């Protein structure tokens, strides 16, 4: 549950949004914007305007432009409207200059010149294309379905971030996210946090990585059974690279794992199976929640106020040797259950094999269940999971978009699959980097004949998530708001009473999203940062790791960088010589390189660095719990590095070189004089043990 979170706020959120959305579904349908009618109000408002078309903006007829008209400029009453100027002229009859806004004779910006529409490249959207098109039409933005020669504001990719041709704008994928949420990598990231904060990370089932930890798995299961003969567990085996339920199976004993060569070619994770899930209509179900990671630095997380509940299609029974293979009973994957003869397609949000999460919460609330606590626990689970993932994401980011080089900023929608236990505790099943955004389903019309038909439940949730993600990432939002404020002030200053209708027009223009529903994404971080910042120890270790990487774009720390880290932080001593440091580096690096499939670079990966850091912390602060040992060592390292930075700052100010200039605080460049290539320039920690400024890389 949120540490000290305001439950009144969560209650207000649920009562105002989720309950209202379920109880007033018909009203919500009326609010939904008809894609085919988008822009109709503007056409009506413009009937009194001159019929001559407005001047086309530069490059408006570019190849690949979508056929969605840009938003027309704010309309004025006939009494005040000026005649439309000739093409290429501003409203005041002056010639337009590319890249400059029109100025009035008084020198003030023209209140009546509208901003260009936001441009979206959807050429690589894939399965999310339909929902994306609807969202763009509702926002009245401009889509480029076949790409564009000039840069776009937003690039929407269906699967991967990688695109060497994007040097600006925003991309809806983070580099490395797909690798980070794979089952093995996610398990390792959460395990590090479980070692530091076992009680805070008990929402993730105990996991073992196969084949590396097979013997450990067998030994630990045997040990527990010897201590408690009545313990009869069930385990679920998930292939690391599997998706949509492919290759998943249940076992009762480690000897049942299929070892016939498949684990070597296809590693897997084996987890304790949750035997007592919450049931509705005697069916097991899970929850797909959509989480927007808006930026890494600063960390910004949003959670959609509604999600999907995917149901099994066979009544649930606790696992036994006879029903272990009943996938429609135990696995909630939509891609599996949709092929069951019992799958129910429904246009209602509260019935069928796929429903809205809000309908489930409303049903639980009617039975007296504490909905506030469920939401509080889910928010906590999401924030803690993202905190576990972000350290290595930062390493991936600086590898693909090194500081000082052109590149886009990133955001991403993640799909969190969560299971509610019978006691209503949420359990994290997995995180999806590319959650399906399809708003249609495949329906069998006759044996062997299928047709894609619209899914109103999917459209209800997914279009809102994509549309409101775009609204939050709108690069022109600030300009549009400032323009609306200028327009409002200018019109408000006019004291002529007959122009009251003009004032009402300005109020409509002040909020260009007035025709849209309220944003369905709720910020949970940094809103609840105070409750969770103490968990960000690995994040601070990652900043140390990135500082000493040396070569821009690499992801592994070399032996020279590791030695420089030890010397700069003054961690060597009579009991830990530099020779012992070299041996530590070799041993840990060799073991981790043998476990990971990524052999792109030689050296120490972040997780190996974390293990070495744990070892150093335990040596130096022996009598403290592990998380306090690690926090104390991080404080010590940041202290010595801040002294080192201060010393270099003083040397730089002394002007040792006439061509050397210090960069302002917060820039990613290094100060002169020249420093060893393994060191960066983070700023000193400014708020004790809980935060370090990440100035070397501004990650968005």
């Amino acid at each position: 549950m949120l540490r000290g979170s305001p439950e009144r706020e969560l209650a207000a959120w649920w009562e105002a949004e989720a309950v209202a959305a379920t109880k007033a579904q018909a009203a919500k349908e009326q609010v939904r914007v008809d894609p085919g009618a988008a822009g109709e109000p503007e056409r009506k408002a413009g009937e009194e305007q001159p019929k001559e078309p407005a001047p086309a903006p530069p490059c408006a007829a570019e190849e690949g432009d979508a056929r969605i008209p840009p938003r027309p400029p704010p309309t004025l009453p006939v009494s005040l409207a000026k005649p439309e100027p000739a093409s290429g002229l501003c409203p005041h009859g002056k010639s337009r200059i590319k890249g400059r806004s029109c100025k009035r004779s008084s020198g003030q910006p023209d209140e009546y010149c509208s901003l260009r529409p936001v441009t979206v490249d959807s050429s690589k959207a894939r399965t999310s294309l339909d929902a994306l098109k609807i969202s763009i039409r509702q926002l009245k933005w401009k889509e480029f379905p076949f790409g564009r020669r000039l840069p776009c504001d937003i690039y929407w990719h269906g699967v991967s971030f990688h695109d060497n041709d994007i040097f600006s704008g925003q991309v809806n994928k983070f580099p490395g996210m797909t690798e980070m949420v794979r089952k093995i990598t996610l398990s390792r990231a959460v395990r590090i946090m479980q070692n530091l904060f076992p009680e805070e990370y008990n929402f993730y089932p105990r996991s073992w990585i196969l084949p590396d930890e097979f013997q450990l798995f067998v030994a630990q299961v045997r040990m527990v059974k010897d201590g408690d003969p009545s313990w009869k567990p069930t385990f679920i085996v998930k292939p690391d690279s599997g998706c949509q339920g492919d290759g998943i199976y249940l076992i009762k004993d480690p000897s049942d794992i299929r070892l016939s060569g498949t684990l070597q070619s296809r590693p897997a994770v084996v987890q304790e199976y949750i035997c007592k899930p919450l049931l509705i209509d005697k069916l097991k179900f899970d929850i797909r929640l959509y989480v927007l990671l808006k930026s890494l630095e600063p960390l910004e997380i949003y959670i959609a106020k509604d999600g999907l509940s995917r149901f099994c299609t066979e009544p649930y029974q606790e696992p036994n040797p006879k029903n272990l293979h009943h996938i429609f009973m135990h696995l909630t994957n939509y891609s599996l259950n949709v092929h069951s003869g019992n799958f129910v397609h429904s246009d209602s949000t509260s019935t069928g094999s796929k429903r809205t999460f809000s309908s489930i919460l409303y049903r639980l609330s009617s039975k007296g269940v504490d909905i506030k606590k469920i939401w509080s626990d889910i928010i906590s689970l999401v924030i803690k999971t993202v905190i576990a993932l972000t350290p290595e994401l930062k390493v991936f980011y600086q590898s693909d978009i090194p500081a000082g080089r052109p590149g886009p900023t990133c955001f991403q929608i993640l799909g969190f699959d969560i299971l509610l236990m019978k006691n209503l505790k949420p359990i994290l099943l997995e995180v999806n980097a590319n959650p399906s955004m399809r708003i249609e389903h495949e329906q069998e019309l006759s044996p062997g004949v299928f047709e894609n038909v619209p899914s109103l439940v999917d459209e209800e949730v997914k279009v809102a998530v994509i549309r409101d993600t775009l609204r939050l990432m709108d690069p022109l939002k600030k300009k549009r708001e400032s323009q609306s404020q200028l327009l409002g002030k200018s019109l408000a200053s006019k004291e002529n009473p007959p122009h009251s209708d003009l004032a009402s027009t300005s109020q409509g223009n002040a909020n260009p999203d007035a025709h849209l529903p309220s944003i369905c994404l709720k910020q949970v971080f940094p809103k609840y940062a105070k409750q969770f910042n103490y968990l960000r120890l690995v994040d601070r270790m990652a900043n140390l790791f990135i500082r000493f990487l040396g070569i821009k774009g690499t992801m592994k720390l070399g032996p020279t960088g590791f030695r420089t880290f030890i010397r700069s932080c003054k961690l060597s001593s009579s009991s830990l010589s530099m020779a012992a440091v070299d041996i530590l580096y070799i041993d840990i690096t060799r073991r981790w390189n043998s476990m990971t499939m990524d052999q792109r670079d030689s050296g120490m990966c972040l997780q190996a660095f974390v293990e070495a850091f744990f070892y150093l912390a335990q040596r130096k602060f022996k009598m403290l719990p592990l998380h306090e040992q690690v926090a104390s060592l991080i404080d010590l390292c940041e202290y010595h590095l801040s002294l080192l930075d201060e010393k270099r700052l003083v040397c730089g100010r002394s002007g040792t070189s006439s061509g050397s200039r210090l960069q302002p605080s917060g820039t990613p460049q290094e100060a002169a004089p020249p420093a060893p290539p393994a060191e960066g320039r983070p700023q000193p920690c400014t708020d004790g043990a809980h935060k370090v400024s990440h100035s070397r890389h501004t990650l968005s």
Side-chain angles (χ1 to χ4, degrees):
M1 189 169 179
L2 296 179
R3 295 163 57 95
S5 62
E7 295 213 350
R8 291 182 180 177
E9 184 175 348
L10 289 173
W13 172 26
W14 166 246
E15 293 170 2
E17 301 290 344
V19 175
T22 305
K23 297 178 68 176
Q25 189 61 35
K28 196 169 185 181
E29 291 294 335
Q30 295 175 2
V31 174
R32 180 185 298 161
V33 178
D34 181 4
E40 186 67 22
E42 274 74 13
R43 288 199 295 271
K44 292 181 179 179
E47 289 177 357
E48 297 181 355
Q49 293 294 321
K51 296 183 180 180
E52 183 180 354
C59 302
E62 170 132 38
E63 184 177 328
D65 285 13
R67 296 184 180 178
I68 301 173
R71 182 187 306 168
T75 57
L76 299 177
V78 177
S79 60
L80 292 181
K82 295 187 177 182
E84 190 72 26
S87 177
L89 300 180
C90 73
H92 312 294
K94 299 181 180 180
S95 60
R96 295 183 184 273
I97 301 178
K98 185 177 181 180
R100 297 184 183 178
S101 61
C102 176
K103 302 287 183 179
R104 299 181 63 85
S105 58
S106 62
Q108 296 298 323
D110 182 6
E111 297 91 347
Y112 309 127
C113 291
S114 63
L115 289 174
R116 62 172 178 82
V118 179
T119 56
V120 182
D121 184 333
S122 62
S123 59
K124 299 181 181 179
R126 296 195 180 184
T127 58
S128 62
L129 186 58
D130 291 339
L132 178 64
K133 285 181 176 293
I134 293 175
S135 300
I136 293 173
R137 285 198 293 265
Q138 290 182 1
L139 294 171
K140 303 176 185 176
W141 291 1
K142 189 165 188 176
E143 180 191 5
F144 290 85
F146 305 108
R148 187 191 190 198
R149 290 193 299 269
L150 295 178
C152 280
D153 296 310
I154 295 176
Y155 296 84
W156 196 277
H157 290 184
V159 179
S160 174
F161 158 80
H162 293 96
D163 193 327
N164 296 328
D165 298 329
I166 301 177
F167 301 105
S168 63
Q170 301 177 99
V171 181
N172 71 316
K173 300 293 179 187
F174 277 98
M177 182 66 81
T178 300
E179 292 85 348
M180 274 308 303
V181 300
R182 291 177 67 161
K183 297 173 181 63
I184 287 180
T185 318
L186 174 64
S187 296
R188 284 176 173 156
V190 174
R191 183 182 297 177
I192 289 174
M193 301 305 296
Q194 287 175 333
N195 290 335
L196 289 168
F197 307 100
E199 294 183 359
E200 301 287 355
Y201 281 82
N202 60 3
F203 56 81
Y204 191 69
R206 188 172 184 181
S207 307
W208 296 265
I209 297 167
L210 305 178
D212 296 333
E213 298 175 351
F214 177 70
Q215 296 302 328
L216 176 64
F217 171 53
V218 173
Q220 290 183 342
V221 170
R222 183 181 298 120
M223 181 178 65
V224 176
K225 282 187 174 181
D226 290 343
D228 183 8
S230 64
W231 184 55
K232 296 180 180 180
T234 302
F235 303 96
I236 184 168
V237 182
K238 304 177 182 179
D240 179 49
S241 57
C243 61
Q244 299 182 339
D246 178 44
I248 297 178
Y249 61 96
L250 274 61
I251 61 174
K252 296 293 289 184
D253 189 86
S255 60
D256 298 331
I257 290 180
R258 302 166 189 171
L259 292 173
S260 56
T262 58
L263 288 179
Q264 296 299 332
S265 59
R266 195 180 188 190
V269 168
V270 57
Q271 294 179 325
E272 292 183 74
Y273 180 78
I274 307 301
C275 294
K276 296 186 179 298
L278 177 67
L279 303 180
I280 289 183
D281 300 330
K282 300 182 180 180
L283 299 173
K284 179 181 175 181
F285 69 97
D286 73 352
I287 305 159
R288 164 64 60 84
L289 282 184
Y290 297 96
V291 175
L292 170 63
L293 182 56
K294 190 171 183 285
S295 71
L296 285 182
E297 189 57 49
L299 182 60
E300 289 187 65
I301 309 169
Y302 291 76
I303 298 180
K305 297 176 181 178
D306 204 355
L308 298 174
S309 298
R310 294 92 54 94
F311 282 76
C312 288
T313 50
E314 185 177 333
Y316 179 78
Q317 298 175 1
E318 288 198 25
N320 59 62
K322 294 182 179 180
N323 66 25
L324 285 181
H325 305 294
H326 292 200
I327 59 173
F328 298 145
M329 175 189 295
H330 297 294
L331 303 184
T332 55
N333 304 75
Y334 166 79
S335 56
L336 294 177
N337 283 278
V338 73
H339 299 294
S340 167
N342 297 325
F343 191 92
V344 179
H345 292 287
S346 175
D347 291 337
S348 170
T349 60
S350 58
T351 61
S353 297
K354 184 188 286 188
R355 314 176 192 177
T356 59
F357 180 43
S358 59
S359 70
I360 301 299
L361 289 176
Y362 180 65
R363 181 167 175 171
L364 295 176
S365 177
S366 65
K367 296 181 179 180
V369 173
D370 187 356
I371 302 301
K372 295 180 292 184
K373 186 177 188 307
I374 292 179
W375 263 120
S376 181
D377 291 344
I378 288 176
I379 292 172
S380 178
L381 178 153
V382 169
I383 294 175
K384 291 173 182 177
T385 302
V386 174
I387 286 176
L389 294 174
T390 49
E392 198 157 356
L393 278 176
K394 289 185 175 182
V395 179
F396 274 104
Y397 195 103
Q398 65 82 37
S399 175
D400 279 72
I401 312 177
R405 297 184 188 175
T409 56
C410 300
F411 64 97
Q412 189 155 354
I413 298 172
L414 303 174
F416 274 65
D417 291 348
I418 298 171
L419 181 75
L420 286 179
M421 296 178 62
K422 192 173 183 179
N423 62 2
L424 301 179
K425 176 182 178 180
I427 298 293
L428 177 66
L429 300 180
E430 60 182 52
V431 180
N432 293 270
N434 303 303
S436 171
M437 287 296 178
R438 292 186 60 179
I439 55 175
E440 58 185 18
H441 59 249
E442 196 176 68
Q443 189 168 0
E444 189 171 14
L445 302 180
S446 60
V449 179
F450 294 89
E451 181 185 19
N452 288 328
V453 297
S455 170
L456 297 184
V457 176
D458 286 305
E459 184 175 343
E460 176 77 23
V461 175
K462 296 176 182 178
V463 170
V465 170
I466 292 180
R467 180 193 65 226
D468 293 345
T469 293
L470 292 174
R471 291 166 72 182
L472 287 172
M473 303 308 301
D474 182 359
L476 303 181
K477 184 176 181 180
K478 292 183 179 179
K479 292 182 181 179
R480 194 177 292 108
E481 290 176 348
S482 61
Q483 185 191 53
S484 298
Q485 290 175 0
L486 284 174
L487 179 61
K489 290 180 180 179
S490 175
L491 297 176
S493 64
K494 301 180 183 297
E495 299 179 354
N496 196 347
H499 299 163
S500 58
D501 54 345
L502 183 62
S504 63
T505 303
S506 69
Q507 293 176 1
N509 292 327
N511 183 10
D513 293 343
H515 65 289
L516 298 173
S518 60
I519 290 184
C520 73
L521 295 164
K522 177 181 175 64
Q523 188 191 83
V524 296
F525 201 95
K527 184 172 185 177
Y528 298 127
K530 291 182 179 179
Q531 292 96 311
F532 295 97
N533 269 340
Y534 74 101
L535 299 173
R536 303 186 70 182
L537 295 181
V538 182
D539 196 77
R540 296 167 67 192
M541 279 186 266
N543 285 289
L544 297 175
F545 178 80
I546 292 172
R547 171 172 179 145
F548 291 97
L549 278 178
I551 303 174
K552 290 182 178 180
T554 186
M555 294 185 61
K556 293 187 177 179
L557 186 65
T560 301
F562 189 71
R563 289 172 64 93
T564 306
F565 158 69
I566 296 294
R567 284 197 297 265
S568 300
C569 297
K570 301 188 182 303
L571 300 181
S572 59
S573 62
S574 57
S575 60
L576 183 67
S577 64
M578 292 308 294
V581 169
D582 291 338
I583 294 174
L584 175 67
Y585 175 87
I586 293 171
D587 287 346
I588 293 180
T589 301
R590 182 180 299 164
R591 183 171 65 257
W592 275 94
N593 285 343
S594 67
M595 290 190 298
T596 58
M597 304 295 292
D598 181 14
Q599 301 297 333
R600 288 181 295 179
D601 302 313
S602 61
M604 175 180 279
C605 64
L606 175 63
Q607 292 176 332
F609 178 79
V610 170
E611 181 181 332
F613 202 93
F614 283 8
Y615 172 80
L616 296 170
Q618 289 168 326
R619 282 180 56 96
K620 197 165 189 69
F621 305 98
K622 298 179 181 179
M623 304 304 295
L624 299 175
L626 178 61
H627 69 275
E628 293 185 19
Q629 293 173 337
V630 170
S632 298
L633 185 59
I634 292 174
D635 289 342
L636 181 64
C637 292
E638 291 173 350
Y639 170 74
H640 285 299
L641 292 175
S642 66
L643 294 180
L644 185 63
D645 289 341
E646 186 177 351
K647 181 178 179 181
R648 286 174 179 157
L649 188 64
V650 172
C651 293
R653 286 175 177 171
S654 65
T656 56
S657 172
S658 60
S660 300
R661 292 188 303 168
L662 287 176
Q663 299 293 331
S665 173
T667 62
Q669 302 296 326
E670 298 185 0
E679 296 184 8
R681 298 291 180 271
Q683 298 297 311
C685 179
T686 58
D687 64 345
H690 297 293
K691 190 178 5 177
V692 61
S693 174
H694 318 297
S695 62
R696 187 171 184 266
H697 297 279
T698 303
L699 311 182
S700 300

